[in-house]
Amino acid sequence: MSDTITRANQPLTDDNGEVRELTSADMAAFRPLGDVLPALAQIIQKRGKQKSPTKERITIRLSSEVVQYFRESGEGWQTRLDEALMNYIADHRKAA
């Protein structure tokens, strides 16, 4: 037997509760949550209603320079753009 097959048959934790490194054979042996715990899978898959919408979906045209600048900052760029606009509003409300 290969090492990966042997390791997949071993417990995932040792006597101290430490989790060993998972192999591709371990991952292949995992079963979907719905097969193992169907009741839990139904609860998790159902997403509740949003309590109060905090943002509104719109279509907006921005210059490519602005979009490129925020996209280059990585994941979460739309949130940072929103924060920049919120700061703009706060600064201009004070001045008015």
Side-chain angles (χ1 to χ4, degrees), residues 49-55:
K49 265 190 165 181
Q50 189 176 11
K51 292 182 182 176
S52 61
T54 57
K55 294 184 178 180

Side-chain angles (χ1 to χ4, degrees), residues 1-2 27-29 32 35 38 43 48 54-55 77 81 86 92 95:
M1 282 190 181
S2 75
M27 299 301 284
D35 292 352
I43 293 169
T54 57
K55 294 184 178 180
W77 68 271
L81 177 58
M86 292 296 284
H92 285 78

Side-chain angles (χ1 to χ4, degrees), residues 16-30:
N16 296 326
E18 293 291 321
V19 178
R20 66 174 170 79
E21 185 174 344
L22 299 178
T23 65
S24 57
D26 291 322
M27 299 301 284
F30 287 159

Side-chain angles (χ1 to χ4, degrees), residues 60 62 66 70 79-96:
I60 184 172
L62 301 170
V66 170
F70 280 94
T79 300
R80 285 188 293 281
L81 177 58
D82 184 58
E83 289 170 357
L85 292 171
M86 292 296 284
N87 289 335
Y88 177 88
I89 291 170
D91 290 346
H92 285 78
R93 279 191 178 151
K94 291 177 190 173

